[in-house]
């Protein structure tokens, strides 16, 4: 269903306009809900449930964009939680995912929030999908009940 929509959008629009239309359709169709999927969930599960987290929105967008012939990549990073960040005020950042597509130049878009990825979006890495740039990967040796907690502080400087 989403692939057909994407292909139709690509036939009647420029690649950039088609990509915007595709991402906006995903934003309208899927509701953000924390905890309904995990890192091993697949995009079709989120589409079927019409529920997901930022990673699901990004994976849905990637699949739809690519099915329409638009080159796209996954972006992992952090999102400043305030829409208009105060200069020099430190806040706790939120891990986040969004997409970029190529239409003469790379363009970033956040389908979860239906916004252009700009100064609130802090890029950590880019890849084909989540698996290319998972924030944590490796082998752990220690007590089974150990817990890893990470907090990232973000400060707007300009």
């Amino acid at each position: 269903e989403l692939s057909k929509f994407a292909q139709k959008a690509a036939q009647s629009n420029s690649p950039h306009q088609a990509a915007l239309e595709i991402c906006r359709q995903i934003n309208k169709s899927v509701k953000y809900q924390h905890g309904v999927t995990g890192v091993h969930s697949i995009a079709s599960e989120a589409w079927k449930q019409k529920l997901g987290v930022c990673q699901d929105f990004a994976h849905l967008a990637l699949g739809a964009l690519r099915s329409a012939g638009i080159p796209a990549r996954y972006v992992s990073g952090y999102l400043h939680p305030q829409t208009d960040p105060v200069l020099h005020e430190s806040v706790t950042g939120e891990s986040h995912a969004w997409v970029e597509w190529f239409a003469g130049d790379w363009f970033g878009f956040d389908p979860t929030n239906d916004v252009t990825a700009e100064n609130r979006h802090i890029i950590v890495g880019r890849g084909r999908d989540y698996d290319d740039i998972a924030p944590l990967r490796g082998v752990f040796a220690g007590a089974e009940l150990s817990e890893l907690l990470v907090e990232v502080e973000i400060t707007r400087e300009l």
Side-chain angles (χ1 to χ4, degrees):
E1 175 188 357
L2 182 56
S3 180
K4 286 180 186 175
F5 173 84
Q7 291 169 15
K8 185 177 179 184
Q11 290 173 354
S12 56
N13 293 294
S14 69
H16 180 71
Q17 281 306 119
L20 283 172
E21 194 173 310
I22 291 164
C23 287
R24 290 193 167 126
Q25 181 64 34
I26 292 166
N27 177 270
K28 283 192 277 187
S29 300
V30 180
K31 180 181 174 191
Y32 180 91
Q33 187 171 329
H34 182 74
V36 295
T37 60
V39 296
H40 299 295
S41 299
I42 58 174
S44 60
E45 292 172 15
W47 185 252
K48 184 178 178 181
Q49 296 178 66
K50 299 293 192 249
L51 296 170
V53 295
C54 60
Q55 174 183 309
D56 301 308
F57 282 75
H59 279 138
L60 286 166
L62 286 174
L65 291 166
R66 291 172 182 163
S67 74
I70 301 168
R73 60 191 180 191
Y74 184 94
V75 186
S76 180
Y78 292 93
L79 178 66
H80 195 293
Q82 299 168 359
T83 55
D84 190 19
V86 177
L87 275 174
H88 309 296
E89 178 182 75
S90 295
V91 297
T92 301
E94 301 169 4
S95 63
H96 198 54
W98 59 98
V99 296
E100 291 179 338
W101 62 76
F102 190 81
D105 200 359
W106 287 101
F107 183 83
F109 195 83
D110 178 351
T112 307
N113 295 300
D114 196 26
V115 296
T116 300
E118 292 181 343
N119 62 351
R120 291 179 55 214
H121 294 77
I122 297 112
I123 298 169
V124 173
R126 295 174 172 106
R128 293 169 294 178
D129 56 28
Y130 172 86
D131 198 44
D132 274 357
I133 50 173
L136 297 172
R137 181 170 301 159
V139 177
F140 173 76
E144 182 179 333
L145 299 178
S146 294
E147 187 176 345
L148 174 66
L149 301 172
V150 176
E151 184 174 295
V152 174
E153 192 174 272
I154 298 172
T155 307
R156 180 179 172 196
E157 296 293 329
L158 301 172

